[in-house]
Amino acid sequence: MEIKRASKKTCYFCEKGIEPSYKDPNTLSQFISERGKIAGRRQTGVCTKHQRILAREIKRARQLALLPYLVA
């Protein structure tokens, strides 16, 4: 009997060779849940380094009103 393992998720930002930026709210909105919460690293498959940067940039975009705090 062979055990199937899930294929390893690759980081979106490592693949593309870019860094998360508050100036690109369309990309950041992919990593926010329907209720407006920042999605976790396990859900999105983003590496630890980029998850920290991603959270910071989402918060910056919210302060500049590029992204909503809550989705009504």
Side-chain angles (χ1 to χ4, degrees):
M1 186 162 120
E2 188 176 322
I3 298 173
K4 288 191 174 186
R5 296 185 185 188
S7 62
K8 186 160 174 94
K9 293 181 187 175
T10 57
C11 176
Y12 174 83
F13 299 104
C14 290
E15 274 185 359
K16 302 268 184 185
I18 58 173
E19 294 290 320
S21 174
Y22 70 92
K23 297 176 185 177
D24 189 10
N26 294 329
T27 303
L28 296 179
S29 64
Q30 295 174 5
F31 300 97
I32 298 177
S33 71
E34 294 174 359
R35 303 188 82 186
K37 297 175 82 174
I38 299 172
R41 190 176 67 83
R42 290 184 179 185
Q43 277 184 312
T44 60
V46 177
C47 69
T48 308
K49 173 188 168 187
H50 286 118
Q51 180 67 25
R52 284 192 298 264
I53 297 169
L54 178 66
R56 184 180 67 221
E57 296 300 316
I58 289 173
K59 291 173 187 177
R60 282 183 182 166
R62 286 176 173 167
Q63 286 180 336
L64 294 170
L66 300 173
L67 288 175
Y69 281 98
L70 297 173
V71 179

Short mmCIF file of all heavy atoms in Angstrom, two decimals:
data_model
loop_
_atom_site.label_atom_id
_atom_site.label_comp_id
_atom_site.label_asym_id
_atom_site.label_seq_id
_atom_site.Cartn_x
_atom_site.Cartn_y
_atom_site.Cartn_z
N MET A 1 0.83 -1.18 0.00
CA MET A 1 0.00 0.00 0.00
C MET A 1 0.88 1.25 0.00
O MET A 1 1.81 1.36 0.79
CB MET A 1 -0.88 -0.02 1.25
CG MET A 1 -1.88 1.08 1.27
SD MET A 1 -3.17 0.69 2.45
CE MET A 1 -3.00 2.07 3.52
N GLU A 2 0.60 2.12 -0.93
CA GLU A 2 1.42 3.33 -1.08
C GLU A 2 0.72 4.52 -0.43
O GLU A 2 -0.48 4.73 -0.61
CB GLU A 2 1.62 3.61 -2.57
CG GLU A 2 2.61 4.72 -2.83
CD GLU A 2 2.84 4.90 -4.32
OE1 GLU A 2 2.88 3.88 -5.04
OE2 GLU A 2 2.95 6.05 -4.74
N ILE A 3 1.47 5.28 0.33
CA ILE A 3 0.91 6.46 0.99
C ILE A 3 1.08 7.66 0.06
O ILE A 3 2.18 7.95 -0.40
CB ILE A 3 1.63 6.73 2.32
CG1 ILE A 3 1.43 5.55 3.27
CG2 ILE A 3 1.13 8.01 2.95
CD1 ILE A 3 2.23 5.65 4.53
N LYS A 4 -0.04 8.32 -0.21
CA LYS A 4 0.03 9.52 -1.06
C LYS A 4 0.21 10.74 -0.18
O LYS A 4 -0.50 10.92 0.80
CB LYS A 4 -1.25 9.68 -1.88
CG LYS A 4 -1.37 8.69 -2.99
CD LYS A 4 -2.50 9.06 -3.89
CE LYS A 4 -2.53 8.14 -5.09
NZ LYS A 4 -3.52 8.55 -6.06
N ARG A 5 1.16 11.54 -0.51
CA ARG A 5 1.39 12.78 0.22
C ARG A 5 0.99 13.95 -0.64
O ARG A 5 1.13 13.92 -1.86
CB ARG A 5 2.86 12.91 0.60
CG ARG A 5 3.30 11.82 1.54
CD ARG A 5 4.68 12.03 2.00
NE ARG A 5 5.06 10.88 2.82
CZ ARG A 5 6.16 10.81 3.49
NH1 ARG A 5 7.03 11.79 3.45
NH2 ARG A 5 6.44 9.76 4.22
N ALA A 6 0.50 14.97 0.01
CA ALA A 6 0.09 16.17 -0.71
C ALA A 6 1.34 16.84 -1.30
O ALA A 6 2.40 16.87 -0.66
CB ALA A 6 -0.61 17.15 0.22
N SER A 7 1.22 17.33 -2.50
CA SER A 7 2.36 18.00 -3.10
C SER A 7 2.63 19.29 -2.35
O SER A 7 1.72 19.95 -1.86
CB SER A 7 2.08 18.31 -4.57
OG SER A 7 0.98 19.17 -4.68
N LYS A 8 3.89 19.63 -2.23
CA LYS A 8 4.27 20.81 -1.47
C LYS A 8 3.82 22.07 -2.20
O LYS A 8 4.06 22.23 -3.39
CB LYS A 8 5.78 20.81 -1.28
CG LYS A 8 6.26 21.92 -0.38
CD LYS A 8 7.62 21.61 0.15
CE LYS A 8 8.15 22.77 0.93
NZ LYS A 8 7.89 22.67 2.34
N LYS A 9 3.16 22.96 -1.47
CA LYS A 9 2.73 24.22 -2.05
C LYS A 9 3.95 25.11 -2.22
O LYS A 9 4.86 25.11 -1.38
CB LYS A 9 1.75 24.93 -1.12
CG LYS A 9 0.43 24.24 -0.96
CD LYS A 9 -0.45 25.05 -0.04
CE LYS A 9 -1.71 24.32 0.28
NZ LYS A 9 -2.52 25.06 1.26
N THR A 10 3.97 25.83 -3.29
CA THR A 10 5.07 26.76 -3.48
C THR A 10 4.58 28.17 -3.25
O THR A 10 3.43 28.50 -3.53
CB THR A 10 5.66 26.65 -4.90
OG1 THR A 10 4.61 26.87 -5.84
CG2 THR A 10 6.28 25.30 -5.14
N CYS A 11 5.44 28.99 -2.75
CA CYS A 11 5.11 30.37 -2.41
C CYS A 11 4.81 31.16 -3.68
O CYS A 11 5.58 31.14 -4.64
CB CYS A 11 6.25 31.00 -1.64
SG CYS A 11 6.00 32.75 -1.28
N TYR A 12 3.69 31.87 -3.69
CA TYR A 12 3.28 32.69 -4.83
C TYR A 12 4.34 33.73 -5.16
O TYR A 12 4.68 33.94 -6.32
CB TYR A 12 1.95 33.37 -4.49
CG TYR A 12 1.47 34.36 -5.51
CD1 TYR A 12 0.78 33.93 -6.64
CD2 TYR A 12 1.69 35.72 -5.36
CE1 TYR A 12 0.32 34.84 -7.58
CE2 TYR A 12 1.25 36.62 -6.30
CZ TYR A 12 0.56 36.19 -7.41
OH TYR A 12 0.12 37.08 -8.35
N PHE A 13 4.89 34.37 -4.13
CA PHE A 13 5.84 35.46 -4.35
C PHE A 13 7.23 34.94 -4.75
O PHE A 13 7.91 35.58 -5.53
CB PHE A 13 5.93 36.34 -3.10
CG PHE A 13 4.60 36.98 -2.77
CD1 PHE A 13 3.83 36.50 -1.73
CD2 PHE A 13 4.12 38.03 -3.51
CE1 PHE A 13 2.60 37.08 -1.43
CE2 PHE A 13 2.90 38.62 -3.24
CZ PHE A 13 2.13 38.14 -2.19
N CYS A 14 7.62 33.78 -4.22
CA CYS A 14 8.90 33.18 -4.62
C CYS A 14 8.84 32.75 -6.08
O CYS A 14 9.82 32.91 -6.82
CB CYS A 14 9.24 32.00 -3.73
SG CYS A 14 9.68 32.44 -2.04
N GLU A 15 7.71 32.18 -6.50
CA GLU A 15 7.54 31.75 -7.89
C GLU A 15 7.65 32.93 -8.86
O GLU A 15 8.32 32.85 -9.87
CB GLU A 15 6.18 31.10 -8.09
CG GLU A 15 6.11 29.65 -7.78
CD GLU A 15 4.75 29.07 -8.12
OE1 GLU A 15 3.85 29.81 -8.58
OE2 GLU A 15 4.59 27.86 -7.93
N LYS A 16 6.95 34.01 -8.53
CA LYS A 16 6.91 35.17 -9.41
C LYS A 16 8.16 36.04 -9.31
O LYS A 16 8.42 36.85 -10.18
CB LYS A 16 5.69 36.05 -9.09
CG LYS A 16 4.37 35.35 -9.20
CD LYS A 16 3.78 35.51 -10.55
CE LYS A 16 2.40 34.87 -10.55
NZ LYS A 16 1.79 34.86 -11.83
N GLY A 17 8.89 35.88 -8.21
CA GLY A 17 10.09 36.69 -8.01
C GLY A 17 9.78 38.14 -7.65
O GLY A 17 10.52 39.05 -8.01
N ILE A 18 8.66 38.34 -6.95
CA ILE A 18 8.26 39.68 -6.54
C ILE A 18 8.09 39.73 -5.03
O ILE A 18 8.05 38.70 -4.37
CB ILE A 18 6.94 40.12 -7.22
CG1 ILE A 18 5.80 39.15 -6.89
CG2 ILE A 18 7.11 40.26 -8.71
CD1 ILE A 18 4.45 39.59 -7.38
N GLU A 19 7.98 40.93 -4.49
CA GLU A 19 7.71 41.14 -3.08
C GLU A 19 6.31 41.73 -2.94
O GLU A 19 5.88 42.50 -3.80
CB GLU A 19 8.73 42.12 -2.47
CG GLU A 19 10.15 41.60 -2.44
CD GLU A 19 10.34 40.47 -1.44
OE1 GLU A 19 9.77 40.55 -0.33
OE2 GLU A 19 11.05 39.51 -1.78
N PRO A 20 5.58 41.38 -1.88
CA PRO A 20 4.26 41.98 -1.67
C PRO A 20 4.40 43.49 -1.47
O PRO A 20 5.34 43.95 -0.82
CB PRO A 20 3.76 41.34 -0.38
CG PRO A 20 4.64 40.17 -0.14
CD PRO A 20 5.91 40.41 -0.86
N SER A 21 3.48 44.26 -2.05
CA SER A 21 3.52 45.71 -1.92
C SER A 21 2.12 46.26 -1.72
O SER A 21 1.17 45.79 -2.34
CB SER A 21 4.13 46.33 -3.17
OG SER A 21 4.05 47.74 -3.11
N TYR A 22 2.00 47.27 -0.88
CA TYR A 22 0.71 47.90 -0.64
C TYR A 22 0.20 48.61 -1.88
O TYR A 22 -0.99 48.91 -2.00
CB TYR A 22 0.81 48.90 0.53
CG TYR A 22 1.62 50.13 0.22
CD1 TYR A 22 1.01 51.28 -0.29
CD2 TYR A 22 2.99 50.16 0.42
CE1 TYR A 22 1.74 52.41 -0.58
CE2 TYR A 22 3.73 51.28 0.12
CZ TYR A 22 3.11 52.41 -0.36
OH TYR A 22 3.84 53.52 -0.66
N LYS A 23 1.07 48.87 -2.83
CA LYS A 23 0.70 49.57 -4.06
C LYS A 23 -0.08 48.69 -5.03
O LYS A 23 -0.59 49.18 -6.03
CB LYS A 23 1.96 50.09 -4.76
CG LYS A 23 2.71 51.11 -3.94
CD LYS A 23 3.99 51.52 -4.64
CE LYS A 23 4.82 52.44 -3.77
NZ LYS A 23 6.09 52.77 -4.40
N ASP A 24 -0.16 47.39 -4.74
CA ASP A 24 -0.87 46.45 -5.60
C ASP A 24 -2.01 45.78 -4.82
O ASP A 24 -1.91 44.62 -4.43
CB ASP A 24 0.11 45.40 -6.13
CG ASP A 24 -0.50 44.52 -7.20
OD1 ASP A 24 -1.61 44.82 -7.67
OD2 ASP A 24 0.14 43.51 -7.55
N PRO A 25 -3.12 46.51 -4.58
CA PRO A 25 -4.20 45.95 -3.77
C PRO A 25 -4.90 44.76 -4.41
O PRO A 25 -5.48 43.93 -3.70
CB PRO A 25 -5.16 47.13 -3.59
CG PRO A 25 -4.82 48.09 -4.65
CD PRO A 25 -3.38 47.88 -4.99
N ASN A 26 -4.85 44.62 -5.72
CA ASN A 26 -5.49 43.47 -6.38
C ASN A 26 -4.82 42.17 -5.96
O ASN A 26 -5.48 41.17 -5.70
CB ASN A 26 -5.46 43.62 -7.89
CG ASN A 26 -6.29 44.79 -8.37
OD1 ASN A 26 -7.29 45.13 -7.75
ND2 ASN A 26 -5.86 45.42 -9.44
N THR A 27 -3.50 42.17 -5.91
CA THR A 27 -2.76 40.98 -5.49
C THR A 27 -2.99 40.71 -4.00
O THR A 27 -3.20 39.58 -3.60
CB THR A 27 -1.25 41.15 -5.75
OG1 THR A 27 -1.06 41.41 -7.14
CG2 THR A 27 -0.49 39.90 -5.38
N LEU A 28 -2.96 41.76 -3.19
CA LEU A 28 -3.15 41.60 -1.75
C LEU A 28 -4.53 41.06 -1.42
O LEU A 28 -4.70 40.30 -0.48
CB LEU A 28 -2.93 42.93 -1.03
CG LEU A 28 -1.53 43.53 -1.09
CD1 LEU A 28 -1.49 44.85 -0.34
CD2 LEU A 28 -0.49 42.58 -0.54
N SER A 29 -5.53 41.45 -2.19
CA SER A 29 -6.90 41.02 -1.89
C SER A 29 -7.08 39.51 -2.07
O SER A 29 -8.02 38.94 -1.52
CB SER A 29 -7.89 41.78 -2.76
OG SER A 29 -7.71 41.48 -4.12
N GLN A 30 -6.20 38.85 -2.79
CA GLN A 30 -6.25 37.39 -2.94
C GLN A 30 -5.97 36.69 -1.62
O GLN A 30 -6.37 35.55 -1.41
CB GLN A 30 -5.22 36.90 -3.96
CG GLN A 30 -5.46 37.37 -5.36
CD GLN A 30 -4.31 36.97 -6.28
OE1 GLN A 30 -3.39 36.27 -5.88
NE2 GLN A 30 -4.39 37.42 -7.52
N PHE A 31 -5.26 37.36 -0.72
CA PHE A 31 -4.82 36.77 0.53
C PHE A 31 -5.67 37.22 1.71
O PHE A 31 -5.28 37.08 2.86
CB PHE A 31 -3.34 37.09 0.77
CG PHE A 31 -2.46 36.55 -0.31
CD1 PHE A 31 -2.05 37.36 -1.37
CD2 PHE A 31 -2.07 35.23 -0.31
CE1 PHE A 31 -1.26 36.86 -2.39
CE2 PHE A 31 -1.28 34.71 -1.33
CZ PHE A 31 -0.87 35.53 -2.36
N ILE A 32 -6.86 37.79 1.43
CA ILE A 32 -7.79 38.21 2.46
C ILE A 32 -9.06 37.37 2.31
O ILE A 32 -9.54 37.15 1.20
CB ILE A 32 -8.12 39.72 2.30
CG1 ILE A 32 -6.86 40.55 2.48
CG2 ILE A 32 -9.17 40.14 3.30
CD1 ILE A 32 -7.06 42.01 2.27
N SER A 33 -9.61 36.91 3.44
CA SER A 33 -10.81 36.08 3.41
C SER A 33 -12.03 36.93 3.05
O SER A 33 -11.95 38.16 2.95
CB SER A 33 -11.03 35.42 4.77
OG SER A 33 -11.42 36.38 5.71
N GLU A 34 -13.16 36.26 2.88
CA GLU A 34 -14.40 36.96 2.54
C GLU A 34 -14.82 37.94 3.61
O GLU A 34 -15.47 38.94 3.33
CB GLU A 34 -15.53 35.94 2.34
CG GLU A 34 -15.32 35.04 1.15
CD GLU A 34 -16.38 33.96 1.08
OE1 GLU A 34 -17.25 33.91 1.97
OE2 GLU A 34 -16.31 33.16 0.13
N ARG A 35 -14.44 37.66 4.84
CA ARG A 35 -14.83 38.52 5.96
C ARG A 35 -13.80 39.62 6.22
O ARG A 35 -13.96 40.41 7.15
CB ARG A 35 -15.01 37.68 7.21
CG ARG A 35 -16.05 36.58 6.98
CD ARG A 35 -16.37 35.87 8.23
NE ARG A 35 -17.35 36.67 8.96
CZ ARG A 35 -17.77 36.38 10.17
NH1 ARG A 35 -17.29 35.34 10.79
NH2 ARG A 35 -18.66 37.14 10.77
N GLY A 36 -12.71 39.64 5.46
CA GLY A 36 -11.73 40.70 5.61
C GLY A 36 -10.52 40.34 6.45
O GLY A 36 -9.69 41.20 6.73
N LYS A 37 -10.41 39.08 6.86
CA LYS A 37 -9.28 38.66 7.69
C LYS A 37 -8.10 38.25 6.80
O LYS A 37 -8.29 37.73 5.70
CB LYS A 37 -9.68 37.47 8.57
CG LYS A 37 -10.78 37.81 9.57
CD LYS A 37 -11.22 36.60 10.33
CE LYS A 37 -10.27 36.34 11.47
NZ LYS A 37 -10.73 35.24 12.35
N ILE A 38 -6.91 38.46 7.30
CA ILE A 38 -5.71 38.04 6.58
C ILE A 38 -5.61 36.52 6.68
O ILE A 38 -5.64 35.96 7.78
CB ILE A 38 -4.45 38.70 7.18
CG1 ILE A 38 -4.54 40.22 7.08
CG2 ILE A 38 -3.19 38.19 6.48
CD1 ILE A 38 -3.44 40.96 7.82
N ALA A 39 -5.52 35.85 5.54
CA ALA A 39 -5.47 34.39 5.50
C ALA A 39 -4.12 33.90 6.03
O ALA A 39 -3.09 34.53 5.84
CB ALA A 39 -5.68 33.89 4.08
N GLY A 40 -4.15 32.76 6.69
CA GLY A 40 -2.96 32.18 7.28
C GLY A 40 -2.02 31.57 6.25
O GLY A 40 -2.40 31.30 5.11
N ARG A 41 -0.82 31.33 6.68
CA ARG A 41 0.22 30.80 5.81
C ARG A 41 -0.12 29.40 5.30
O ARG A 41 0.16 29.05 4.16
CB ARG A 41 1.55 30.77 6.58
CG ARG A 41 2.76 30.48 5.75
CD ARG A 41 4.01 30.57 6.57
NE ARG A 41 4.09 29.53 7.58
CZ ARG A 41 4.52 28.30 7.36
NH1 ARG A 41 4.91 27.95 6.17
NH2 ARG A 41 4.57 27.42 8.33
N ARG A 42 -0.73 28.59 6.14
CA ARG A 42 -1.09 27.22 5.74
C ARG A 42 -2.17 27.22 4.67
O ARG A 42 -2.20 26.34 3.81
CB ARG A 42 -1.55 26.42 6.94
CG ARG A 42 -0.42 26.10 7.88
CD ARG A 42 -0.91 25.24 9.00
NE ARG A 42 0.18 24.91 9.92
CZ ARG A 42 0.06 24.10 10.93
NH1 ARG A 42 -1.10 23.52 11.18
NH2 ARG A 42 1.08 23.86 11.71
N GLN A 43 -3.07 28.17 4.73
CA GLN A 43 -4.14 28.26 3.74
C GLN A 43 -3.62 28.70 2.39
O GLN A 43 -4.01 28.18 1.36
CB GLN A 43 -5.21 29.26 4.18
CG GLN A 43 -6.23 28.71 5.13
CD GLN A 43 -7.27 29.76 5.42
OE1 GLN A 43 -6.93 30.90 5.72
NE2 GLN A 43 -8.51 29.37 5.34
N THR A 44 -2.76 29.71 2.39
CA THR A 44 -2.34 30.34 1.15
C THR A 44 -1.12 29.68 0.52
O THR A 44 -0.91 29.81 -0.68
CB THR A 44 -2.03 31.82 1.37
OG1 THR A 44 -0.99 31.93 2.35
CG2 THR A 44 -3.25 32.57 1.83
N GLY A 45 -0.29 29.02 1.33
CA GLY A 45 0.90 28.38 0.81
C GLY A 45 2.06 29.34 0.62
O GLY A 45 3.03 29.05 -0.07
N VAL A 46 1.99 30.50 1.27
CA VAL A 46 3.05 31.51 1.18
C VAL A 46 4.11 31.16 2.21
O VAL A 46 3.80 30.69 3.31
CB VAL A 46 2.47 32.92 1.45
CG1 VAL A 46 3.55 33.98 1.44
CG2 VAL A 46 1.41 33.25 0.44
N CYS A 47 5.38 31.37 1.88
CA CYS A 47 6.46 31.05 2.81
C CYS A 47 6.44 32.02 4.00
O CYS A 47 5.80 33.07 3.96
CB CYS A 47 7.81 31.08 2.11
SG CYS A 47 8.36 32.71 1.58
N THR A 48 7.14 31.66 5.06
CA THR A 48 7.13 32.44 6.29
C THR A 48 7.61 33.87 6.07
O THR A 48 6.99 34.82 6.57
CB THR A 48 8.03 31.76 7.34
OG1 THR A 48 7.64 30.40 7.47
CG2 THR A 48 7.90 32.44 8.68
N LYS A 49 8.67 34.02 5.34
CA LYS A 49 9.23 35.34 5.07
C LYS A 49 8.21 36.24 4.38
O LYS A 49 7.97 37.37 4.82
CB LYS A 49 10.48 35.20 4.19
CG LYS A 49 11.04 36.51 3.71
CD LYS A 49 12.14 36.26 2.68
CE LYS A 49 12.51 37.54 1.97
NZ LYS A 49 13.45 37.30 0.88
N HIS A 50 7.59 35.73 3.34
CA HIS A 50 6.64 36.53 2.59
C HIS A 50 5.32 36.73 3.33
O HIS A 50 4.63 37.72 3.11
CB HIS A 50 6.41 35.94 1.20
CG HIS A 50 7.56 36.17 0.29
ND1 HIS A 50 8.29 35.14 -0.26
CD2 HIS A 50 8.13 37.32 -0.16
CE1 HIS A 50 9.26 35.65 -1.01
NE2 HIS A 50 9.18 36.96 -0.97
N GLN A 51 4.95 35.79 4.23
CA GLN A 51 3.73 35.96 5.01
C GLN A 51 3.86 37.16 5.95
O GLN A 51 2.92 37.94 6.09
CB GLN A 51 3.41 34.69 5.81
CG GLN A 51 2.16 34.79 6.66
CD GLN A 51 0.89 34.90 5.85
OE1 GLN A 51 0.84 34.46 4.71
NE2 GLN A 51 -0.14 35.46 6.43
N ARG A 52 5.02 37.32 6.55
CA ARG A 52 5.24 38.47 7.43
C ARG A 52 5.17 39.77 6.66
O ARG A 52 4.53 40.74 7.08
CB ARG A 52 6.59 38.36 8.14
CG ARG A 52 6.62 37.37 9.27
CD ARG A 52 7.86 37.52 10.10
NE ARG A 52 9.08 37.26 9.33
CZ ARG A 52 9.72 36.11 9.29
NH1 ARG A 52 9.26 35.07 9.96
NH2 ARG A 52 10.81 35.96 8.58
N ILE A 53 5.81 39.80 5.50
CA ILE A 53 5.79 41.00 4.65
C ILE A 53 4.37 41.25 4.15
O ILE A 53 3.89 42.40 4.16
CB ILE A 53 6.76 40.84 3.46
CG1 ILE A 53 8.20 40.70 3.96
CG2 ILE A 53 6.64 42.02 2.51
CD1 ILE A 53 9.18 40.27 2.88
N LEU A 54 3.67 40.19 3.76
CA LEU A 54 2.30 40.29 3.26
C LEU A 54 1.37 40.92 4.29
O LEU A 54 0.60 41.84 3.98
CB LEU A 54 1.79 38.91 2.86
CG LEU A 54 0.37 38.80 2.34
CD1 LEU A 54 0.24 39.52 1.01
CD2 LEU A 54 -0.02 37.36 2.19
N ALA A 55 1.45 40.47 5.54
CA ALA A 55 0.60 41.01 6.60
C ALA A 55 0.88 42.50 6.80
O ALA A 55 -0.06 43.30 6.94
CB ALA A 55 0.82 40.24 7.89
N ARG A 56 2.14 42.87 6.80
CA ARG A 56 2.51 44.28 6.97
C ARG A 56 1.97 45.13 5.83
O ARG A 56 1.42 46.22 6.06
CB ARG A 56 4.03 44.40 7.07
CG ARG A 56 4.50 45.83 7.35
CD ARG A 56 6.00 45.92 7.43
NE ARG A 56 6.59 45.65 6.13
CZ ARG A 56 7.68 44.91 5.93
NH1 ARG A 56 8.31 44.37 6.95
NH2 ARG A 56 8.14 44.72 4.73
N GLU A 57 2.10 44.65 4.61
CA GLU A 57 1.65 45.41 3.45
C GLU A 57 0.12 45.51 3.38
O GLU A 57 -0.41 46.53 2.94
CB GLU A 57 2.20 44.80 2.16
CG GLU A 57 3.72 44.85 2.07
CD GLU A 57 4.29 46.26 2.12
OE1 GLU A 57 3.75 47.16 1.46
OE2 GLU A 57 5.30 46.45 2.84
N ILE A 58 -0.59 44.47 3.82
CA ILE A 58 -2.05 44.53 3.87
C ILE A 58 -2.47 45.60 4.87
O ILE A 58 -3.38 46.39 4.62
CB ILE A 58 -2.66 43.16 4.23
CG1 ILE A 58 -2.50 42.21 3.04
CG2 ILE A 58 -4.13 43.29 4.61
CD1 ILE A 58 -2.91 40.78 3.32
N LYS A 59 -1.81 45.65 6.02
CA LYS A 59 -2.12 46.66 7.03
C LYS A 59 -1.85 48.06 6.51
O LYS A 59 -2.62 48.99 6.76
CB LYS A 59 -1.33 46.38 8.31
CG LYS A 59 -1.80 45.13 9.02
CD LYS A 59 -0.90 44.79 10.18
CE LYS A 59 -1.28 43.45 10.77
NZ LYS A 59 -0.38 43.04 11.86
N ARG A 60 -0.77 48.23 5.78
CA ARG A 60 -0.47 49.54 5.18
C ARG A 60 -1.53 49.95 4.17
O ARG A 60 -1.97 51.09 4.13
CB ARG A 60 0.89 49.51 4.48
CG ARG A 60 2.05 49.60 5.41
CD ARG A 60 3.35 49.65 4.64
NE ARG A 60 4.46 49.68 5.56
CZ ARG A 60 5.71 49.46 5.22
NH1 ARG A 60 6.03 49.19 3.97
NH2 ARG A 60 6.68 49.51 6.12
N ALA A 61 -1.95 48.99 3.33
CA ALA A 61 -2.97 49.28 2.32
C ALA A 61 -4.29 49.64 2.99
O ALA A 61 -5.03 50.50 2.48
CB ALA A 61 -3.14 48.07 1.40
N ARG A 62 -4.59 49.03 4.11
CA ARG A 62 -5.81 49.37 4.84
C ARG A 62 -5.75 50.79 5.38
O ARG A 62 -6.74 51.52 5.34
CB ARG A 62 -6.05 48.39 5.98
CG ARG A 62 -6.53 47.04 5.52
CD ARG A 62 -6.64 46.10 6.68
NE ARG A 62 -7.27 44.84 6.28
CZ ARG A 62 -7.26 43.76 7.03
NH1 ARG A 62 -6.68 43.77 8.21
NH2 ARG A 62 -7.84 42.65 6.60
N GLN A 63 -4.61 51.19 5.91
CA GLN A 63 -4.46 52.53 6.45
C GLN A 63 -4.61 53.60 5.37
O GLN A 63 -5.11 54.69 5.63
CB GLN A 63 -3.10 52.70 7.14
CG GLN A 63 -3.04 51.99 8.46
CD GLN A 63 -1.69 52.17 9.14
OE1 GLN A 63 -0.69 52.42 8.48
NE2 GLN A 63 -1.67 52.03 10.44
N LEU A 64 -4.19 53.28 4.17
CA LEU A 64 -4.30 54.22 3.06
C LEU A 64 -5.63 54.08 2.32
O LEU A 64 -5.81 54.70 1.27
CB LEU A 64 -3.14 54.00 2.08
CG LEU A 64 -1.76 54.33 2.62
CD1 LEU A 64 -0.68 53.86 1.67
CD2 LEU A 64 -1.64 55.82 2.86
N ALA A 65 -6.53 53.27 2.85
CA ALA A 65 -7.86 53.06 2.30
C ALA A 65 -7.83 52.42 0.90
O ALA A 65 -8.73 52.64 0.10
CB ALA A 65 -8.66 54.35 2.27
N LEU A 66 -6.81 51.63 0.62
CA LEU A 66 -6.75 50.88 -0.62
C LEU A 66 -7.47 49.54 -0.48
O LEU A 66 -7.93 48.98 -1.45
CB LEU A 66 -5.30 50.66 -1.05
CG LEU A 66 -4.49 51.93 -1.30
CD1 LEU A 66 -3.03 51.57 -1.56
CD2 LEU A 66 -5.06 52.71 -2.45
N LEU A 67 -7.53 49.04 0.76
CA LEU A 67 -8.25 47.80 1.08
C LEU A 67 -9.18 48.08 2.26
O LEU A 67 -8.86 48.89 3.13
CB LEU A 67 -7.27 46.69 1.48
CG LEU A 67 -6.41 46.07 0.41
CD1 LEU A 67 -5.43 45.09 1.02
CD2 LEU A 67 -7.25 45.37 -0.63
N PRO A 68 -10.31 47.40 2.31
CA PRO A 68 -11.23 47.62 3.43
C PRO A 68 -10.78 46.85 4.69
O PRO A 68 -10.15 45.80 4.59
CB PRO A 68 -12.54 47.05 2.90
CG PRO A 68 -12.13 45.99 1.96
CD PRO A 68 -10.87 46.50 1.31
N TYR A 69 -11.13 47.41 5.85
CA TYR A 69 -10.91 46.69 7.11
C TYR A 69 -11.92 45.56 7.25
O TYR A 69 -11.60 44.46 7.64
CB TYR A 69 -11.04 47.64 8.31
CG TYR A 69 -9.81 48.49 8.53
CD1 TYR A 69 -9.76 49.79 8.06
CD2 TYR A 69 -8.71 48.00 9.20
CE1 TYR A 69 -8.65 50.57 8.27
CE2 TYR A 69 -7.58 48.77 9.42
CZ TYR A 69 -7.56 50.07 8.96
OH TYR A 69 -6.45 50.84 9.15
N LEU A 70 -13.18 45.88 6.93
CA LEU A 70 -14.27 44.92 6.99
C LEU A 70 -14.99 44.88 5.67
O LEU A 70 -15.10 45.90 4.98
CB LEU A 70 -15.28 45.32 8.06
CG LEU A 70 -14.78 45.35 9.51
CD1 LEU A 70 -15.86 45.94 10.39
CD2 LEU A 70 -14.42 43.95 9.98
N VAL A 71 -15.50 43.71 5.33
CA VAL A 71 -16.29 43.59 4.11
C VAL A 71 -17.75 43.55 4.53
O VAL A 71 -18.15 42.68 5.30
CB VAL A 71 -15.91 42.32 3.32
CG1 VAL A 71 -16.76 42.19 2.08
CG2 VAL A 71 -14.43 42.35 2.97
N ALA A 72 -18.51 44.50 4.07
CA ALA A 72 -19.91 44.60 4.50
C ALA A 72 -20.81 43.72 3.68
O ALA A 72 -20.58 43.29 2.62
CB ALA A 72 -20.38 46.04 4.39
#
